[in-house]
């Protein structure tokens, strides 16, 4: 059981390039999230999804787009990368309201380190 | 969601109980207290959560004051592997998102 898998784990981009981070979960979770974490800081929510085909903005959505075309996948896109987007990106998922522990228990991936030069 | 206040750092000796405080004086009646931890640069890990009763699981105990304005996470016998940043989060069920603050950096010393 893989849990939450993020790809790629490392990436270096030049300013202005685009890329997509993929998050896949095999737990049949309803909710999925993308966070970013800068050095010495807590996690900040970028976008999230409460079901297939739905997305919503978090605390820091600017410069990112997301899609949830399949329940198990949540994609985070950077259309034109900027140095300010250098960060570690974490994906997470949860059962949602129907889950055994409610929707507050999030399962996190190992992170994707992105550097924008 | 209500705001939480945690000390930025704490130290604890290995084998002793680690008590991590959290203030949430503006908590609402339907908001739960959640605790997560982040070891090194790994993804955060869920520890425990509660509404108003004290809770215990295999990882930790959560003590919530009667007025619910503060809580304490207790790691009963801390080990070096418990060194991590611990996040206290207050959130209503169904709020759809979990917002992390700065957390407490706990260092377990040998």
């Amino acid at each position: 059981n893989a849990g939450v898998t993020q790809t790629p784990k490392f990436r270096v981009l030049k300013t202005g390039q685009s890329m997509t981070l993929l998050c896949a979960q095999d737990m049949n979770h309803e909710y999925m999230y993308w966070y970013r974490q800068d050095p010495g800081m807590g996690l900040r929510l970028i976008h999230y999804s409460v079901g297939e085909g739905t997305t919503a903005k978090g605390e820091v959505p600017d410069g990112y787009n997301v899609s949830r075309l399949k329940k198990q996948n949540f994609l985070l896109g950077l259309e034109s990368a900027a140095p300010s987007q250098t960060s570690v990106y974490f994906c997470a998922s949860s059962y949602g309201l129907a889950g055994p522990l409610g929707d507050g228990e999030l399962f996190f991936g190992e992170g994707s380190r992105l550097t924008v030069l | 969601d209500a705001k939480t206040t945690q000390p930025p750092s704490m130290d604890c000796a290995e084998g002793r109980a680690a008590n991590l405080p959290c203030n949430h004086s503006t908590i609402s009646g339907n908001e739960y207290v959640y605790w997560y931890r982040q070891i090194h640069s790994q993804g955060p890990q869920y520890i425990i959560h509660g509404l108003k009763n004290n809770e215990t699981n295999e990882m930790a105990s959560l003590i919530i004051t009667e007025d619910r304005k503060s809580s304490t996470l207790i790691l009963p016998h801390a080990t070096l592997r418990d060194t991590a940043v611990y996040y206290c989060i207050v959130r209503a069920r169904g709020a759809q998102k979990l917002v992390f603050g700065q957390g407490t950096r706990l260092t377990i010393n040998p």
Side-chain angles (χ1 to χ4, degrees):
Chain A
N1 205 359
V4 178
T5 303
Q6 295 181 225
T7 53
K9 290 186 170 41
F10 300 92
R11 183 75 186 269
V12 178
L13 288 178
K14 294 181 180 178
T15 297
Q17 286 185 318
S18 64
M19 75 158 296
T20 300
L21 294 174
L22 169 64
C23 177
Q25 52 93 5
D26 61 2
M27 297 171 282
N28 201 34
H29 283 172
E30 287 295 328
Y31 294 5
M32 296 187 75
Y33 310 80
W34 275 108
Y35 289 87
R36 62 175 286 176
Q37 186 172 35
D38 300 322
M41 304 284 287
L43 282 79
R44 291 185 292 170
L45 182 63
I46 305 171
H47 286 281
Y48 63 101
S49 167
V50 298
E52 181 178 317
T54 73
T55 62
K57 294 180 179 180
E59 304 169 86
V60 289
D62 294 342
Y64 305 95
N65 56 76
V66 288
S67 64
R68 183 108 181 261
L69 299 179
K70 294 182 178 180
K71 186 177 182 179
Q72 64 268 33
N73 295 337
F74 195 29
L75 279 65
L76 178 71
L78 286 71
E79 288 188 349
S80 179
S84 61
Q85 293 177 304
T86 293
S87 190
V88 180
Y89 292 85
F90 288 100
C91 176
S93 67
S94 76
Y95 284 104
L97 287 176
L101 290 177
D103 57 338
E105 181 182 3
L106 270 60
F107 295 78
F108 281 83
E110 292 298 309
S112 297
R113 291 184 177 276
L114 175 65
T115 301
V116 183
L117 302 175
Chain B
D1 296 329
K3 180 179 171 58
T4 62
T5 303
Q6 299 177 253
S9 64
M10 292 182 62
D11 286 89
C12 179
E14 187 178 18
R16 304 295 294 270
N19 298 288
L20 291 92
C22 180
N23 285 323
H24 31 78
S25 58
T26 60
I27 192 170
S28 300
N30 66 339
E31 289 182 317
Y32 288 74
V33 180
Y34 290 85
W35 283 86
Y36 279 74
R37 74 180 182 183
Q38 187 174 23
I39 296 174
H40 194 42
S41 298
Q42 299 175 15
Q45 175 190 25
Y46 165 85
I47 301 173
I48 198 168
H49 77 281
L51 183 62
K52 48 186 175 182
N53 296 324
N54 298 337
E55 302 287 344
T56 295
N57 63 20
E58 64 278 3
M59 290 182 67
S61 295
L62 174 61
I63 309 298
I64 302 175
T65 58
E66 193 168 341
D67 64 7
R68 303 211 320 124
K69 292 185 177 182
S70 66
S71 60
T72 301
L73 179 75
I74 301 173
L75 308 177
H77 304 289
T79 71
L80 298 179
R81 285 175 292 185
D82 292 322
T83 292
V85 177
Y86 287 77
Y87 297 97
C88 169
I89 301 163
V90 170
R91 175 183 176 275
R93 182 178 170 85
Q96 297 182 345
K97 53 186 179 179
L98 203 67
V99 179
F100 288 77
Q102 297 297 309
T104 295
R105 182 172 296 277
L106 175 67
T107 301
I108 306 301
N109 300 306

